Short mmCIF file of all heavy atoms in Angstrom, two decimals:
data_model
loop_
_atom_site.label_atom_id
_atom_site.label_comp_id
_atom_site.label_asym_id
_atom_site.label_seq_id
_atom_site.Cartn_x
_atom_site.Cartn_y
_atom_site.Cartn_z
N CYS A 585 -15.76 -14.13 29.06
CA CYS A 585 -17.17 -14.64 29.23
C CYS A 585 -17.86 -15.06 27.96
O CYS A 585 -19.07 -15.24 27.95
CB CYS A 585 -17.99 -13.59 29.99
SG CYS A 585 -18.36 -12.14 29.04
N GLY A 586 -17.08 -15.24 26.87
CA GLY A 586 -17.70 -15.81 25.67
C GLY A 586 -18.59 -14.95 24.91
O GLY A 586 -19.62 -15.42 24.34
N VAL A 587 -18.33 -13.63 24.82
CA VAL A 587 -19.15 -12.72 24.08
C VAL A 587 -18.26 -11.82 23.26
O VAL A 587 -17.15 -11.41 23.71
CB VAL A 587 -20.07 -11.85 24.96
CG1 VAL A 587 -20.81 -10.82 24.13
CG2 VAL A 587 -21.01 -12.70 25.76
N VAL A 588 -18.63 -11.51 22.06
CA VAL A 588 -17.86 -10.51 21.19
C VAL A 588 -18.71 -9.26 21.03
O VAL A 588 -19.88 -9.25 20.76
CB VAL A 588 -17.56 -11.15 19.81
CG1 VAL A 588 -17.15 -10.12 18.81
CG2 VAL A 588 -16.41 -12.24 19.99
N ALA A 589 -17.97 -8.13 21.20
CA ALA A 589 -18.52 -6.78 21.01
C ALA A 589 -17.55 -5.96 20.18
O ALA A 589 -16.41 -6.47 19.89
CB ALA A 589 -18.84 -6.11 22.32
N VAL A 590 -17.89 -4.74 19.86
CA VAL A 590 -17.01 -3.90 19.01
C VAL A 590 -16.61 -2.69 19.80
O VAL A 590 -17.46 -1.97 20.35
CB VAL A 590 -17.80 -3.50 17.70
CG1 VAL A 590 -17.11 -2.33 17.01
CG2 VAL A 590 -17.89 -4.68 16.75
N PRO A 591 -15.29 -2.35 19.84
CA PRO A 591 -14.85 -1.10 20.54
C PRO A 591 -15.11 0.13 19.63
O PRO A 591 -14.59 0.20 18.53
CB PRO A 591 -13.35 -1.34 20.71
CG PRO A 591 -12.98 -2.25 19.63
CD PRO A 591 -14.20 -3.10 19.24
N ASN A 592 -15.89 1.08 20.13
CA ASN A 592 -16.27 2.23 19.31
C ASN A 592 -15.07 3.13 18.99
O ASN A 592 -15.18 3.94 18.10
CB ASN A 592 -17.32 3.04 20.03
CG ASN A 592 -18.68 2.32 20.08
OD1 ASN A 592 -18.73 1.11 20.02
ND2 ASN A 592 -19.78 3.06 20.22
N VAL A 593 -13.98 3.03 19.75
CA VAL A 593 -12.88 3.91 19.56
C VAL A 593 -12.38 3.98 18.13
O VAL A 593 -11.91 4.96 17.65
CB VAL A 593 -11.74 3.66 20.58
CG1 VAL A 593 -11.10 2.30 20.24
CG2 VAL A 593 -10.74 4.72 20.60
N VAL A 594 -12.56 2.77 17.44
CA VAL A 594 -12.03 2.77 16.04
C VAL A 594 -12.81 3.67 15.09
O VAL A 594 -12.33 3.97 14.00
CB VAL A 594 -12.07 1.34 15.45
CG1 VAL A 594 -11.23 0.41 16.33
CG2 VAL A 594 -13.49 0.79 15.34
N PHE A 595 -13.95 4.19 15.58
CA PHE A 595 -14.75 5.06 14.69
C PHE A 595 -14.59 6.53 15.08
O PHE A 595 -15.32 7.38 14.63
CB PHE A 595 -16.28 4.71 14.90
CG PHE A 595 -16.61 3.26 14.70
CD1 PHE A 595 -17.28 2.59 15.74
CD2 PHE A 595 -16.24 2.60 13.58
CE1 PHE A 595 -17.60 1.23 15.54
CE2 PHE A 595 -16.59 1.22 13.37
CZ PHE A 595 -17.25 0.57 14.41
N TYR A 596 -13.53 6.81 15.87
CA TYR A 596 -13.29 8.23 16.32
C TYR A 596 -11.84 8.70 15.83
O TYR A 596 -10.94 7.91 15.93
CB TYR A 596 -13.27 8.27 17.89
CG TYR A 596 -14.64 8.24 18.50
CD1 TYR A 596 -15.26 7.02 18.75
CD2 TYR A 596 -15.28 9.40 18.89
CE1 TYR A 596 -16.49 6.92 19.38
CE2 TYR A 596 -16.54 9.35 19.51
CZ TYR A 596 -17.13 8.15 19.77
OH TYR A 596 -18.40 8.04 20.37
N ASP A 597 -11.75 9.98 15.51
CA ASP A 597 -10.47 10.64 15.46
C ASP A 597 -10.02 11.05 16.83
O ASP A 597 -8.85 10.92 17.21
CB ASP A 597 -10.53 11.85 14.50
CG ASP A 597 -10.59 11.38 13.04
OD1 ASP A 597 -10.51 10.19 12.75
OD2 ASP A 597 -10.90 12.25 12.19
N ASP A 598 -11.05 11.58 17.61
CA ASP A 598 -10.74 12.02 18.99
C ASP A 598 -10.92 10.74 19.85
O ASP A 598 -12.03 10.47 20.33
CB ASP A 598 -11.78 13.06 19.42
CG ASP A 598 -11.63 13.49 20.82
OD1 ASP A 598 -10.73 12.95 21.54
OD2 ASP A 598 -12.46 14.28 21.30
N GLU A 599 -9.84 9.99 19.97
CA GLU A 599 -9.94 8.70 20.65
C GLU A 599 -10.40 8.81 22.05
O GLU A 599 -11.03 7.87 22.58
CB GLU A 599 -8.60 7.95 20.52
CG GLU A 599 -8.29 7.63 19.05
CD GLU A 599 -7.05 6.76 18.90
OE1 GLU A 599 -6.45 6.36 19.88
OE2 GLU A 599 -6.84 6.39 17.71
N ASP A 600 -10.15 9.96 22.72
CA ASP A 600 -10.56 10.05 24.15
C ASP A 600 -12.08 10.03 24.21
O ASP A 600 -12.64 9.61 25.20
CB ASP A 600 -10.06 11.41 24.74
CG ASP A 600 -8.57 11.31 25.00
OD1 ASP A 600 -8.06 10.19 25.10
OD2 ASP A 600 -7.92 12.36 25.05
N ALA A 601 -12.78 10.58 23.17
CA ALA A 601 -14.21 10.67 23.21
C ALA A 601 -14.86 9.23 23.10
O ALA A 601 -16.01 9.08 23.52
CB ALA A 601 -14.72 11.52 22.06
N GLY A 602 -14.13 8.29 22.55
CA GLY A 602 -14.69 6.98 22.34
C GLY A 602 -14.05 5.82 23.05
O GLY A 602 -14.45 4.67 22.95
N ARG A 603 -13.00 6.15 23.88
CA ARG A 603 -12.18 5.08 24.43
C ARG A 603 -12.90 4.07 25.23
O ARG A 603 -12.69 2.85 25.13
CB ARG A 603 -11.03 5.66 25.30
CG ARG A 603 -9.90 4.75 25.50
CD ARG A 603 -8.73 5.38 26.24
NE ARG A 603 -8.29 6.62 25.64
CZ ARG A 603 -7.53 6.69 24.56
NH1 ARG A 603 -7.15 5.60 23.90
NH2 ARG A 603 -7.14 7.88 24.06
N SER A 604 -13.86 4.48 26.06
CA SER A 604 -14.52 3.52 27.00
C SER A 604 -15.85 3.01 26.46
O SER A 604 -16.63 2.43 27.21
CB SER A 604 -14.75 4.18 28.33
OG SER A 604 -15.56 5.28 28.24
N LEU A 605 -16.12 3.27 25.22
CA LEU A 605 -17.40 2.83 24.63
C LEU A 605 -17.31 1.54 23.85
O LEU A 605 -16.37 1.29 23.11
CB LEU A 605 -17.95 3.98 23.70
CG LEU A 605 -18.05 5.34 24.41
CD1 LEU A 605 -18.54 6.38 23.40
CD2 LEU A 605 -19.05 5.32 25.59
#
Side-chain angles (χ1 to χ4, degrees):
C585 70
V587 175
V588 163
V590 163
N592 290 24
V593 68
V594 301
F595 309 126
Y596 285 85
D597 288 350
D598 175 4
E599 296 188 356
D600 288 340
R603 200 174 307 283
S604 62
L605 303 176

